[in-house]
Amino acid sequence: KAGVTQTPRYLIKTRGQQVTLSCSPISGHRSVSWYQQTPGQGLQFLFEYFSETQRNKGNFPGRFSGRQFSNSRSEMNVSTLELGDSALYLCASSVGERSPLHFGNGTRLTVT
Amino acid sequence: DQQVKQNSPSLSVQEGRISILNCDYTNSMFDYFLWYKKYPAEGPTFLISISSIKDKNEDGRFTVFLNKSAKHLSLHIVPSQPGDSAVYFCPVGGSNYKLTFGKGTLLTVNP
């Protein structure tokens, strides 16, 4: 069974630009979550989608948004990039509540 | 305010000995606790979980202990192996859909 796939693996953007990251969950997993990992803050929850609906949202500004498609694939978008958005963005999928999250290998975003 | 604290940024142990990783949380409503390990350039990998109705869960070399009154959980790895060297996280939450992570503990197992 294929794992969680995130594309691209690496991305370099300039301040003020926007970026879209993609996540394909494990087949059959309908919940997709996004996390940001930075050296100083660890992993921080961004949002979670289930059946194309955002069910939970973390404490991030409105520049961070996401969506989920009918095939459970998800995208997250960051607009008006800032230097502080440089981080590893991790996507995770789950088959249901109390089931472990399965993480992808992340997208490393660098904002210059 | 950190809701999940892993007070030891790093831990070094000898191969074959026990590794004990600790985690403290503040929200008594949390009732689902997990441990993940993460290698560089990879996503976190699930190790073991425990729900609030238990105080211990074992899976091979990994045992998680939960002390609800102290809001404390720990992960024991026995015996430790060099391949266990990684960053360990202890996400906690009310469900799987919004987990709060600590900053992680870097475990180094020396041959």
Side-chain angles (χ1 to χ4, degrees), chain A residues 9 31 33 35 37 40-43 45 48 55-58 88 90 94 96-105, chain B residues 31-34 36 38 41-46 49 51-52 89 93-103:
Chain A
R9 284 298 309 273
S31 170
S33 302
Y35 288 81
Q37 185 184 19
Q41 297 298 322
L43 272 77
F45 174 77
E48 183 261 344
R55 290 195 300 192
N56 288 289
K57 190 176 189 308
L88 179 67
L90 291 159
S94 172
E97 191 171 344
R98 306 292 167 156
S99 298
L101 293 177
H102 297 266
F103 283 87
N105 287 331
Chain B
D31 64 355
Y32 186 47
F33 310 88
L34 308 95
Y36 279 76
K38 185 180 183 300
E42 293 184 13
T45 303
F46 170 73
S49 65
S51 68
S52 58
F89 294 97
S95 77
N96 203 30
Y97 300 127
K98 187 176 181 179
L99 296 177
T100 301
F101 282 72
K103 293 185 179 181

Side-chain angles (χ1 to χ4, degrees), chain A residues 10-86:
Chain A
Y10 302 93
L11 208 47
I12 300 175
K13 289 286 187 179
T14 304
R15 266 183 306 175
Q17 288 185 315
Q18 75 164 19
V19 66
T20 299
L21 312 181
S22 181
C23 172
S24 293
I26 292 172
S27 177
H29 288 195
R30 296 170 64 188
S31 170
V32 174
S33 302
W34 289 88
Y35 288 81
Q36 181 196 64
Q37 185 184 19
T38 56
Q41 297 298 322
L43 272 77
Q44 292 188 287
F45 174 77
L46 281 156
F47 25 67
E48 183 261 344
Y49 288 88
F50 182 86
S51 292
E52 302 179 66
T53 299
Q54 185 182 91
R55 290 195 300 192
N56 288 289
K57 190 176 189 308
N59 296 323
F60 279 83
R63 300 186 296 108
F64 292 80
S65 63
R67 60 178 174 167
Q68 186 181 33
F69 302 96
S70 58
N71 61 358
S72 294
R73 192 176 70 84
S74 177
E75 289 181 346
M76 68 163 281
N77 184 279
V78 187
S79 62
T80 319
L81 284 166
E82 301 177 359
L83 294 178
D85 297 333
S86 295

Side-chain angles (χ1 to χ4, degrees), chain B residues 37-57:
Chain B
K37 71 176 181 181
K38 185 180 183 300
Y39 296 119
E42 293 184 13
T45 303
F46 170 73
L47 282 173
I48 192 168
S49 65
I50 189 169
S51 68
S52 58
I53 61 173
K54 291 186 171 184
D55 55 17
K56 178 182 175 181
N57 189 25

Side-chain angles (χ1 to χ4, degrees), chain B residues 41-109:
Chain B
E42 293 184 13
T45 303
F46 170 73
L47 282 173
I48 192 168
S49 65
I50 189 169
S51 68
S52 58
I53 61 173
K54 291 186 171 184
D55 55 17
K56 178 182 175 181
N57 189 25
E58 287 182 81
D59 185 0
R61 298 187 296 114
F62 302 93
T63 303
V64 57
F65 295 91
L66 176 63
N67 183 331
K68 291 184 290 293
S69 60
K71 298 191 186 71
H72 177 85
L73 68 156
S74 62
L75 175 69
H76 292 206
I77 306 174
V78 184
S80 301
Q81 299 173 354
D84 296 329
S85 298
V87 177
Y88 288 77
F89 294 97
C90 57
V92 304
S95 77
N96 203 30
Y97 300 127
K98 187 176 181 179
L99 296 177
T100 301
F101 282 72
K103 293 185 179 181
T105 296
L106 174 63
L107 172 66
T108 302
V109 181

